[in-house]
């Protein structure tokens, strides 16, 4: 069998699961089992993809056998396969958790089909090699997330959703405009083809303008400073399982797109674009953590920490060395696992007391000692205490910064790390150490979870904590994987050659055309490269 | 023609952003609609405005003989229109439900989930 089929499986499996679940609309039990089965299948297909990519470097699937710049291309390189793998892990954990926590009314309204639709969008965005296709996957993901966010129709959910919907639609409009302008400038939307054409694009100013449009479009999705306000306004409102999967995956799609765009497409004006990204990274870290310190509700604190940590992921991209980028990849791996887990743990605390406010809960260390240990490990990992996963991620980023002598960002990263520790100890002291408040103890509902329900609640948390500790213990191999991904990202030629195998034949033409462009600056389009007819604009 | 379209696109963006600055949720939604129209028209303009040059390759040829209108931007716009239709339909239901539940359409009143 052709190995490139594996590229489409992470998109096809959620689609099939969703379709079959919709057929079983009437049966809640059937939808739950289908959701679980679909998540297990996605996990294994992601593992297979990762194995194949490790063997073959880059897998390419030309959908419908249309050759590269014309058809839609699906590409899986190391970073994509790592992201899909993480999506599989998070989906499995959250599905298990939602079996116990999502009420029957929400399941009845299609919770499980929606979550698979969301995953289809997420995996599609990770695997596509075409800008417009990326837009479509973003929208698939967005519409699923809109419904998941509002499902249930509680007051907070609706209020949060208005902000989430409005700001995400603005970013979509910016993305669409950017696509229009980039097509007008180059005549192609295939990322590999774009990478070739933007390199020899005569007008550097236009390329930088395009880069900025993409910073706004992807930056809003990634929740960077100053475009993050939708995130802390909405992430704490839906059921915990939904918050957790959003926290783990959605902003990371934005980060992934930024990494893809600024390693493959916009690498001609590094001094401007990547320094701007570095500034954004620093401000994102600091504002996020300051916001978190002012909060007093578990999920609100964690939401602000997402913003703060997006900064670390961008820091590696902005420094733009193999080591720093490897740090970013490592950080993403660590962050997705730990963040999802902290939301799930916070959810159990909220479930026990019926509130996430730190003033209304307490005493968890005594009443749920196992949960306390699990939280402690995850929180310390988030703050970056050795030997847990966050430590190695931050260490690599800081080493990347030292290598390039960017001391300001290193100081920011270390101070923010300390503040993260402070805010984690705040949760620890309030929710776990402090005795439960009188009124909360009086109104505490009797434990009603069945044994199966408790397994579904704790199994995903134990699984994710194991992975966190595992990343810390096996930091060497994980670092190796991240480093390989970073090196591949910094060598766009491999990506381009994999997508456009006939390029070498056209290379000679390109060189000649490049020289022509130097002589006659008005001839804008190197149209001999096998792109669609692009010379329309030149005639008017 | 390009100039007229460019001005229209700019006008749509300006109107859309102005509407979104208002406090009413309905106006916010109208603003979003205008913004997506502006983006669509921008792609259309970017694709080049050519009259009467059908993008059909004659039988037996592998390339069009004369300059043709680029069909791709129009296909992109169609996709984008369908998507923005779906999303705006959802948003319309959302603001209606919000109004029903919260009893207000003033964005300044919707602050409970903020910090």
């Amino acid at each position: 069998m052709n190995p490139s089929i594996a590229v489409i499986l992470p998109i096809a499996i959620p689609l099939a699961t969703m379709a079959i679940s919709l057929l079983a609309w009437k049966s809640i039990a059937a939808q739950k089992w289908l959701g679980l089965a679909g998540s297990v299948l996605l996990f294994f297909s992601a593992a297979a993809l990762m194995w194949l990519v490790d063997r073959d470097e880059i897998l390419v699937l030309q959908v419908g056998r249309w050759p590269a710049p014309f058809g839609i291309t699906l590409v899986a390189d190391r970073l994509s396969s790592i992201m899909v793998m993480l999506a599989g892990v998070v989906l499995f954990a959250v599905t298990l958790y939602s079996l116990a926590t999502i009420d029957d009314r929400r399941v009845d309204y299609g919770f499980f089909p929606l979550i698979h639709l969301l995953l289809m969008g997420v995996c599609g965005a990770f695997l596509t090699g075409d800008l417009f296709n990326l837009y479509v996957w973003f929208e698939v993901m967005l519409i699923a997330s809109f419904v998941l966010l509002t499902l249930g129709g509680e007051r907070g959910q609706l209020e949060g959703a208005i902000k989430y919907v409005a700001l995400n639609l603005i970013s979509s409009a910016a993305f669409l405009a950017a696509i229009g302008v980039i097509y007008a400038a180059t005549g192609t939307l295939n990322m590999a083809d774009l990478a070739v054409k933007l390199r020899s694009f005569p007008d550097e100013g236009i390329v930088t303008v395009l880069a900025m449009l993409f910073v706004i479009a992807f930056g809003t999705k990634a929740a960077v400073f100053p475009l993050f306000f939708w995130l802390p306004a909405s992430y704490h409102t839906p059921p915990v399982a939904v918050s957790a999967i959003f926290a783990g995956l959605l902003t990371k799609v934005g980060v992934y797109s930024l990494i893809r765009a600024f390693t493959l497409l916009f690498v001609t004006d590094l001094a401007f674009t990547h320094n701007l990204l570095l500034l954004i990274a620093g401000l994102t870290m600091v504002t996020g953590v300051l916001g978190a310190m002012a909060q007093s509700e578990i999920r609100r604190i964690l939401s602000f920490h997402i913003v703060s940590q997006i900064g670390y992921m961008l820091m590696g991209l902005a420094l733009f060395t193999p080591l720093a980028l490897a740090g970013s990849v490592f950080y993403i791996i660590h962050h997705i696992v730990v963040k999802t887990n902290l939301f799930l743990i916070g959810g159990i605390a909220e479930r026990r007391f019926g509130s996430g406010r730190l003033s209304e809960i307490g005493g968890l260390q005594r009443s749920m000692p196992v949960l306390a240990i699990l939280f402690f490990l995850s929180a310390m990992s988030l703050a970056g205490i050795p030997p847990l996963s966050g430590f190695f991620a931050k260490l690599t980023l800081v080493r990347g910064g030292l290598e390039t002598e960017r001391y300001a960002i290193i100081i920011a990263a270390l101070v923010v790390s300390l503040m993260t520790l402070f805010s984690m100890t705040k949760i620890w002291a309030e929710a776990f150490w402090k005795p439960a408040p009188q009124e909360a103890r009086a109104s505490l509902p009797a434990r009603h979870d069945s044994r199966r329900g408790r397994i579904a609640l704790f199994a995903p948390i134990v699984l994710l904590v194991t992975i966190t500790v595992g990343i810390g213990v096996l930091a060497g191999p994980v670092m190796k994987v991240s480093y390989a991904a970073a090196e591949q990202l910094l060598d766009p030629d491999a990506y381009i050659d994999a997508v456009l195998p006939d390029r070498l034949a056209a290379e000679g033409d390109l060189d000649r055309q490049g020289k022509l462009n130097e002589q006659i600056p008005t001839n804008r389009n190197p149209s001999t490269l096998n792109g669609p007819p692009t010379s329309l604009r030149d005639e008017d | 023609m390009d100039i007229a379209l460019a001005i229209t696109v700019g006008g749509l963006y300006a109107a859309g952003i102005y509407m979104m600055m208002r406090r009413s949720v309905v106006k916010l939604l109208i603003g979003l609609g205008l913004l997506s129209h502006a983006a669509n028209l921008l792609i259309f303009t970017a694709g080049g405005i050519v009259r009467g040059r059908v993008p059909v390759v004659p039988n037996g040829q592998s390339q069009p003989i004369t300059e043709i209108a680029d069909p791709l931007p129009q296909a992109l716009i169609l996709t984008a229109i369908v998507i923005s239709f779906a999303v705006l339909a959802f948003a319309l239901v959302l603001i209606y439900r919000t109004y029903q539940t919260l009893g207000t359409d003033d964005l300044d009143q919707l602050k409970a989930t903020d910090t």
Side-chain angles (χ1 to χ4, degrees):
Chain A
M1 204 177 73
N2 191 345
S4 57
I5 294 295
V7 181
I8 207 166
L9 281 182
I11 301 172
I13 289 173
L15 177 67
T17 313
M18 180 184 67
I20 299 170
S21 307
L22 286 178
L23 291 178
W25 185 256
K26 295 247 166 80
S27 161
I28 287 177
Q31 286 200 33
K32 285 184 169 179
W33 284 112
L34 278 168
L36 194 61
S39 71
V40 172
L41 275 179
L42 180 69
F43 178 83
F44 282 113
S45 77
L49 181 68
M50 200 158 168
W51 181 72
L52 282 172
V53 168
D54 197 48
R55 198 190 62 183
D56 294 351
E57 295 286 324
I58 296 179
L59 288 182
V60 177
L61 179 72
Q62 310 285 5
V63 178
R65 294 222 173 155
W66 286 93
F70 303 112
I72 289 170
T73 312
L74 295 179
V75 189
D77 67 352
R78 285 179 192 273
L79 179 64
S80 309
S81 69
I82 290 172
M83 300 302 285
V84 171
M85 186 73 235
L86 291 166
V89 172
V90 169
L91 177 71
F92 177 68
V94 169
T95 307
L96 212 55
Y97 191 84
S98 51
L99 289 180
T101 56
I102 298 294
D103 48 300
D104 282 355
R105 214 177 104 245
R106 284 192 168 94
V107 177
D108 207 25
Y109 278 120
F111 174 83
F112 286 102
L114 279 166
I115 238 169
H116 282 91
L117 181 67
L118 183 80
L119 258 286
M120 180 171 86
V122 169
C123 291
F126 289 151
L127 291 172
T128 186
D130 183 279
L131 267 187
F132 192 76
N133 199 230
L134 181 64
Y135 167 77
V136 173
W137 289 126
F138 266 28
E139 295 301 306
V140 169
M141 183 180 92
L142 273 187
I143 195 101
S145 69
F146 291 168
V147 185
L148 280 171
L149 192 62
T150 49
L151 202 64
E154 290 160 21
R155 288 177 76 96
Q157 283 187 297
L158 292 170
E159 268 199 61
I162 285 210
K163 291 150 200 164
Y164 180 89
V165 169
L167 289 171
N168 275 295
L169 288 186
I170 294 173
S171 110
S172 291
F175 189 9
L176 200 58
I179 286 174
V181 181
I182 208 169
Y183 182 78
T186 61
T188 180
L189 288 172
N190 183 293
M191 291 195 212
D193 201 19
L194 271 174
V196 175
K197 290 193 172 161
L198 286 176
R199 255 187 235 171
S200 58
F201 198 75
D203 191 346
E204 226 178 60
I206 291 199
V207 178
T208 309
V209 169
L210 282 169
M212 291 306 102
L213 273 172
F214 281 102
V215 166
I216 292 175
F218 295 150
T220 315
K221 311 268 178 201
V224 303
F225 178 87
L227 308 163
F228 63 81
F229 291 97
W230 54 271
L231 193 151
S234 63
Y235 268 27
H236 58 93
T237 59
V240 175
V242 177
S243 280
I245 202 162
F246 281 17
L249 293 179
L250 293 197
T251 44
K252 261 52 77 186
V253 178
V255 174
Y256 166 85
S257 311
L258 277 173
I259 292 182
R260 181 66 73 209
F262 285 89
T263 54
L264 184 64
L265 303 181
F266 304 112
V267 286
T268 45
D269 192 6
L270 287 179
F272 178 73
T273 51
H274 287 66
N275 277 337
L276 182 76
L277 283 176
L278 196 65
L279 182 70
I280 292 177
L283 288 171
T284 308
M285 280 180 208
V286 175
T287 44
V289 86
L290 289 178
M293 289 171 89
Q295 297 299 319
S296 59
E297 205 183 308
I298 295 180
R299 274 201 277 169
R300 290 191 195 224
I301 295 178
L302 294 176
S303 300
F304 268 106
H305 276 300
I306 301 177
V307 177
S308 159
Q309 278 136 18
I310 297 293
Y312 285 96
M313 300 172 203
L314 285 189
M315 172 180 162
L317 170 65
L319 294 173
F320 213 60
T321 62
L323 187 65
L325 204 53
S328 275
V329 177
F330 198 119
Y331 204 96
I332 292 175
I333 299 174
H334 141 78
H335 172 92
I336 290 182
V337 173
V338 171
K339 198 79 215 185
T340 310
N341 204 12
L342 282 171
F343 269 89
L344 296 182
I345 294 170
I348 291 189
E350 271 185 43
R351 197 175 155 78
R352 185 151 167 74
F353 292 97
S355 160
R357 284 179 197 286
L358 290 176
S359 57
E360 291 170 19
I361 62 178
L364 280 170
Q365 188 217 7
R366 183 159 296 184
S367 57
M368 301 178 109
V370 179
L371 189 74
I373 294 170
L374 295 172
F375 173 80
F376 187 77
L377 286 171
S378 306
M380 290 305 114
S381 174
L382 191 78
I385 303 293
L388 295 159
S389 58
F391 169 70
F392 294 101
K394 285 178 182 169
L395 179 71
T396 318
L397 282 170
V398 168
R399 274 179 54 202
L402 286 174
E403 209 179 57
T404 45
E405 303 182 341
R406 303 298 186 91
Y407 298 110
I409 192 81
I410 297 176
I411 294 169
L414 293 176
V415 170
V416 168
S417 194
L418 199 65
M419 285 155 129
T420 309
L421 183 62
F422 166 80
S423 126
M424 287 300 121
T425 43
K426 186 163 97 182
I427 299 184
W428 174 259
E430 294 275 328
F432 289 86
W433 263 357
K434 169 188 86 178
Q438 283 299 329
E439 60 268 39
R441 229 180 303 176
S443 64
L444 207 60
R447 280 211 185 166
H448 49 71
D449 292 329
S450 63
R451 192 158 163 272
R452 262 174 80 183
R454 244 177 298 157
I455 290 175
L457 274 180
F458 278 92
I461 297 178
V462 172
L463 171 78
L464 293 177
V465 166
T466 314
I467 296 177
T468 311
V469 176
I471 296 173
V473 174
L474 300 174
V478 180
M479 192 60 224
K480 223 181 194 171
V481 172
S482 314
Y483 201 82
E487 279 193 318
Q488 200 181 43
L489 284 170
L490 290 174
D491 176 28
D493 281 316
Y495 183 98
I496 296 167
D497 288 337
V499 177
L500 301 168
D502 303 331
R503 184 173 73 109
L504 292 176
E507 193 84 299
D509 285 351
L510 181 75
D511 285 347
R512 213 174 56 229
Q513 197 72 27
K515 286 198 191 85
L516 267 180
N517 279 337
E518 281 163 23
Q519 288 158 6
I520 318 163
T522 47
N523 182 5
R524 298 249 315 265
N525 288 316
S527 53
T528 44
L529 206 71
N530 46 359
T534 59
S535 47
L536 295 166
R537 301 178 64 262
D538 293 347
E539 69 175 358
D540 49 44
Chain B
M1 194 59 196
D2 280 10
I3 300 286
L5 277 171
I7 293 171
T8 316
V9 171
L12 279 173
Y13 269 118
I17 288 166
Y18 175 73
M19 288 306 257
M20 287 176 23
M21 302 284 177
R22 312 298 297 277
R23 278 164 52 180
S24 153
V25 198
V26 181
K27 286 178 181 156
L28 171 75
L29 205 63
I30 295 173
L32 285 173
L34 289 176
L35 220 58
S36 74
H37 292 331
N40 288 337
L41 205 57
L42 177 70
I43 299 180
F44 183 65
T45 319
I49 310 297
V50 188
R51 182 195 282 262
R53 306 257 178 83
V54 190
V56 176
V57 180
N59 230 344
Q61 303 275 336
S62 62
Q63 294 183 10
I65 305 168
T66 57
E67 288 292 334
I68 54 164
D70 192 348
L72 188 73
Q74 291 160 34
L76 299 184
I77 297 171
L78 266 183
T79 316
I81 288 175
V82 174
I83 290 173
S84 67
F85 171 74
V87 172
L88 283 177
F90 173 82
L92 212 55
V93 177
L94 174 67
I95 62 166
Y96 182 63
R97 275 300 304 273
T98 312
Y99 179 71
Q100 274 188 328
T101 312
L102 300 163
T104 175
D105 70 336
D106 185 349
L107 281 169
D108 279 2
Q109 307 287 319
L110 304 179
K111 273 196 241 170
T113 68
D114 286 357
T115 48

